[in-house]
Amino acid sequence: MDAQGHGRANDVDPADQWVLNPTTGEYELRLAPTAPQSPVPGPRRAAPARNGAPGGRTTAPVAPGRDVPPPRRRRDVPEEPLPGRRGRRPVKKKSNAKKALLWTGGTMAFVLVAGATTGWFYLKHLEDNVGTTDVGDAAASSFSKDEAFDILVIGTDKRTGEGNDGYGDKGSVGHADTNILLHVAKDRSNATALSIPRDLIVDIPDCRTKQEDGSDTVVPGQDGVRFNRSLGERGRDAGCTMRTVEAATGIKPDHFVMADFNAVKTLTSAVDGVKVCVEKAVDDKQSKLKLPAGESKVEGEQALAFVRTRHAFGNAGDLDRIKVQQQFLGSLMRKMTSGDTLTSPTKLWKLAEAATDALTVDKAIGHVGTLKDIALELKKVPTKNISFMTVPVKDNPAETVHATVVVDESQAPAIFEAIKNDVSFTEVKTEQKKEKAEIAARLKGTRSAASDVRVSILNGGAPGGSAQQQLAYLQTEAGVTKSDNAGNAEAPFARTTLEYDPDQADQARRLADIMGLSGAALKPGKSVTNAQGLPAMTLTLGKDFKGAGVKLNAATTAPVNVAGKSTADKVQCAS
């Protein structure tokens, strides 16, 4: 409590009060009336009355704007010596340094408490900025910092705010206009940003959506339609877009992040603009984009025009616009992770405000702390190992006038498999190369006969009955007669794994050949005891299990020379 006090007078011990001395202008310790007094009489000034109480030794008012140092322990004050007599050494006056220390301590405590309170309220403010959508089991229930993760980034064509009349479809509920599946490797050595064309012909599956009243409804799917219709149309939410990505690529996104046109404007303004490059001068009357040849800095409306224009580059089509967007995102990533941004409190504050206000995410990551964790995990990835590419496509053969595209089955599956199996499209560090070599080495060596392979099978996420079906296949068709069904695993597995004692390596290699297991699926560990009391390996069928007798053949290397691939560390000029 300060000296002026906001409580009752008897709540404060006057013996422990610092008061202002009007003569010196400094704070001094005012002693209690019960403390020993000087035997030498002298003039005493009566303290002014307070709150109608009689005058006496009471707490004096504190000068406005000054804190009172913390209470000090009461001590008896030694008597002053009589005039002309040598007594004990008088008590020294408190030094200015000690007074300053008391002042600093009190002020610092106040700042820390106030700062912590303000910080908490600001975090709540940022959290309230973020919009969330409950997409059910289309998204993961939580974010793990120790695993690879896939986030679907969706840019909609919905018009919100001022100045967006020149973009998107008027009255649009927000279609999936720009779509990037961002895969971040488990070891954070690399990431892949895979663009999905909005005009890609796909099959949209049935999807369950949450209504405003809390009820669920199933939106019927559609076959052979544009990808962008997976959002907005018929009440489809981002969960429907996530399910469509899984159906088209085999990759299940863990989370989604969605933004509209305003995100580009606010994010670029928050970092004071982003550098872009064009080979030729641009003067697009439709988007109002005007840029000279070479490098320029864009932000706000100009940045939005840059990523939205379809007539300034290439063949004025969506695929050329995707390339421009990828180059823009690479530049934005470089700017956001630059020292110029990370060391500027003002830019970081603007970035936090812009990012949270512009985004809608799934409920599992709709907390500022979780979004911060995702950003920090992504920051670990070197920009030179962030690959940008587009789903390989070709013109829709069903059209005479080409307006849509279909997946190029000769190239796309290899890219999908590499992403699913956490394979980098760029060179990684020597240590990581060494680890990959060690994994590959697990498949090298002798192989036992199928009849000597002993294995117990668990279902760790495959469809019901898969363990028994695989057991039947191994025993009747693959010659692995020493096998048994061990039931269900305790926890779900994303990928099929085979754990074995090092002494069983030859058996593991034989079973890997039979099932098409990669070296990464082989886990040296401990054996279990099978029904005959003999040591056996443990085969756990994961969510990637494709059916009894169907080889997994997981990719361990990424396809080379992917058309249109670029990395986030390089500046490229749009053409």
Side-chain angles (χ1 to χ4, degrees):
M1 182 180 291
D2 61 22
Q4 291 179 351
H6 297 290
R8 298 187 303 272
N10 60 3
D11 286 341
V12 182
D13 185 353
D16 288 331
Q17 297 303 303
W18 287 78
V19 297
L20 180 68
N21 186 328
T23 303
T24 65
E26 297 180 345
Y27 281 89
E28 297 177 356
L29 182 64
R30 177 65 56 84
L31 301 176
T34 56
Q37 304 299 311
S38 168
V40 180
R44 296 178 64 185
R45 183 182 298 173
R50 182 183 179 198
N51 297 334
R57 187 162 294 188
T58 58
T59 304
V62 175
R66 302 185 69 177
D67 290 338
V68 178
R72 301 293 298 268
R73 202 162 76 185
R74 190 187 318 180
R75 294 180 180 176
D76 290 340
V77 179
E79 296 180 350
E80 297 178 6
L82 292 172
R85 291 179 58 188
R86 177 174 295 177
R88 287 173 292 181
R89 182 177 298 173
V91 178
K92 290 183 178 180
K93 193 175 183 180
K94 292 187 182 293
S95 69
N96 289 334
K98 290 184 178 179
K99 291 177 183 177
L101 184 61
L102 290 167
W103 269 92
T104 304
T107 304
M108 200 62 182
F110 174 79
V111 170
L112 288 174
V113 172
T117 304
T118 303
W120 183 84
F121 278 111
Y122 185 63
L123 286 177
K124 290 298 294 179
H125 160 70
L126 290 179
E127 202 151 287
D128 291 340
N129 279 354
V130 182
T132 60
T133 300
D134 185 355
V135 295
D137 60 2
S141 59
S142 62
F143 172 73
S144 174
K145 293 191 289 186
D146 301 320
E147 298 293 335
F149 59 91
D150 297 277
I151 295 182
L152 180 62
V153 181
I154 307 171
T156 76
D157 59 1
K158 186 175 183 178
R159 295 181 185 178
T160 60
E162 299 179 359
N164 293 329
D165 293 338
Y167 308 103
D169 299 327
K170 188 174 183 179
S172 171
V173 292
H175 296 108
D177 192 59
T178 299
N179 311 278
I180 298 176
L181 181 62
L182 177 63
H183 172 81
V184 181
K186 181 176 181 178
D187 61 7
R188 308 302 186 246
S189 66
N190 65 92
T192 303
L194 181 69
S195 292
I196 304 173
R198 70 174 191 176
D199 295 327
L200 178 68
I201 296 299
V202 295
D203 294 338
I204 301 175
D206 297 345
C207 64
R208 185 174 298 277
T209 61
K210 184 77 67 176
Q211 304 301 295
E212 290 185 3
D213 60 2
S215 63
D216 289 342
T217 187
V218 176
V219 181
Q222 288 178 283
D223 293 342
V225 296
R226 280 181 166 90
F227 182 90
N228 68 339
R229 295 173 65 180
S230 64
L231 178 71
E233 191 170 297
R234 302 188 181 186
R236 294 188 177 108
D237 61 16
C240 301
T241 308
M242 296 173 75
R243 297 179 195 277
T244 303
V245 169
E246 184 179 10
T249 67
I251 305 168
K252 179 177 173 60
D254 298 301
H255 306 285
F256 83 87
V257 173
M258 183 167 63
D260 58 23
F261 293 147
N262 282 327
V264 174
K265 296 195 291 187
T266 56
L267 285 174
T268 53
S269 295
V271 295
D272 289 341
V274 171
K275 288 184 179 180
V276 297
C277 182
V278 294
E279 288 188 357
K280 299 177 181 178
V282 173
D283 187 2
D284 182 9
K285 300 295 188 296
Q286 189 164 338
S287 68
K288 301 180 177 61
L289 177 66
K290 294 186 68 173
L291 291 175
E295 279 196 357
S296 299
K297 186 173 77 169
V298 297
E299 67 176 283
E301 291 288 349
Q302 197 177 29
L304 179 58
F306 182 79
V307 298
R308 288 294 304 160
T309 181
R310 295 184 58 151
H311 304 282
F313 309 111
N315 297 319
D318 189 49
L319 295 180
D320 292 299
R321 187 180 65 162
I322 286 175
K323 293 178 183 177
V324 172
Q325 291 172 347
Q326 291 173 347
Q327 294 163 16
F328 174 83
L329 286 174
S331 183
L332 179 60
M333 285 182 176
R334 291 192 297 273
K335 186 63 179 287
M336 290 173 67
T337 57
S338 68
D340 181 51
T341 299
L342 297 178
T343 58
S344 170
T346 301
K347 287 183 181 179
L348 288 175
W349 175 78
K350 288 181 179 179
L351 196 55
E353 287 285 344
T356 54
D357 194 47
L359 302 180
T360 299
V361 301
D362 57 279
K363 279 190 170 294
I365 62 173
H367 306 281
V368 170
T370 308
L371 292 173
K372 178 204 69 175
D373 288 342
I374 293 174
L376 291 177
E377 293 304 306
L378 183 57
K379 186 177 179 295
K380 294 177 182 178
V381 183
T383 54
K384 67 177 182 178
N385 288 336
I386 300 177
S387 301
F388 288 100
M389 61 188 69
T390 305
V391 173
V393 295
K394 58 185 181 182
D395 290 333
N396 187 353
E399 296 175 335
T400 303
V401 178
H402 297 305
T404 61
V405 293
V406 296
V407 171
D408 185 345
E409 294 295 343
S410 67
Q411 300 181 46
I415 292 176
F416 299 156
E417 282 297 309
I419 294 175
K420 282 169 58 178
N421 290 288
D422 203 21
V423 178
S424 176
F425 285 84
T426 59
E427 290 291 335
V428 294
K429 293 180 180 179
T430 305
E431 296 82 10
Q432 291 150 351
K433 287 183 180 180
K434 182 178 178 181
E435 182 182 356
K436 290 181 181 295
E438 290 175 351
I439 290 174
R442 296 171 189 170
L443 295 174
K444 298 177 181 179
T446 59
R447 287 154 169 75
S448 66
S451 58
D452 291 331
V453 173
R454 294 188 300 273
V455 61
S456 292
I457 307 172
L458 290 172
N459 190 333
S466 293
Q468 187 59 37
Q469 294 167 11
Q470 181 65 13
L471 175 66
Y473 167 79
L474 291 176
Q475 290 184 339
T476 60
E477 298 187 42
V480 184
T481 54
K482 297 174 182 176
S483 50
D484 61 85
N485 184 349
N488 293 325
E490 293 182 359
F493 280 58
R495 295 182 175 88
T496 298
T497 62
L498 177 63
E499 184 176 359
Y500 59 95
D501 185 276
D503 291 340
Q504 300 168 310
D506 55 345
Q507 297 181 42
R509 286 189 282 268
R510 173 57 66 193
L511 190 59
D513 287 346
I514 293 171
M515 294 189 61
L517 298 176
S518 68
L522 273 57
K523 307 292 183 183
K526 296 182 179 180
S527 62
V528 296
T529 302
N530 65 9
Q532 290 75 39
L534 298 173
M537 302 181 294
T538 301
L539 173 66
T540 305
L541 306 180
K543 294 179 181 179
D544 62 340
F545 182 69
K546 300 177 180 179
V550 180
K551 290 191 175 185
L552 292 171
N553 287 334
T556 56
T557 58
V560 295
N561 299 324
V562 177
K565 183 173 80 75
S566 62
T567 54
D569 64 318
K570 295 178 181 177
V571 178
Q572 292 186 323
C573 294
S575 59

